[in-house]
Amino acid sequence: QVQVVESGGGLVQAGGSLRLSCAASGRTFSGNAMGWFRQAPGKEREFVAAISRDGRNTHSADSVKGRFTISRDDAKNTVFLLMNSMEPEDTAVYYCAATVPWTSSYIGTGGSDYNYWGQGTQVTVSS
């Protein structure tokens, strides 16, 4: 029932910024908890950031705290990931994910916590 499409990836120099967008399908977006994950070449998929369905609760991985910010705009059916002070280690395919939670404050930090996934967008950070 939820379709997820990421955009905004590209090539950026170390120290620069990118903003990723995730557009989710239609009528149920405000009912979804949302998360961002990434997978670098040769590595396992890892959690990046998540936001509760009401937008009041967020959580970020230690590797991106202080640099990345997740937010949502329910009127546009969109969740964002603002990435500042980017490092080469941030190079990965970034995936947006959605799930329908039991509570408005729910945060999922594992891939198994989410039911709907986008196809991913490539982010490359050069030195």
Side-chain angles (χ1 to χ4, degrees), residues 38 46-48 60-68 85 87 89-90:
R38 67 186 183 186
E46 65 175 349
F47 169 76
V48 177
S60 300
D62 289 342
S63 60
V64 305
K65 283 183 177 177
R67 300 188 297 119
F68 291 11
S85 301
E87 305 167 351
E89 292 75 18
D90 296 321

Side-chain angles (χ1 to χ4, degrees), residues 75-89:
K76 298 180 179 179
N77 291 347
T78 303
V79 64
F80 304 97
L81 184 68
L82 176 61
M83 303 182 291
N84 292 323
S85 301
M86 299 194 72
E87 305 167 351
E89 292 75 18

Side-chain angles (χ1 to χ4, degrees), residues 10-18 85-92 122-127:
L11 176 64
V12 65
Q13 191 175 28
S17 299
L18 281 176
S85 301
M86 299 194 72
E87 305 167 351
E89 292 75 18
D90 296 321
T91 295
Q122 177 70 49
V123 172
T124 303
V125 184
S126 65
S127 300

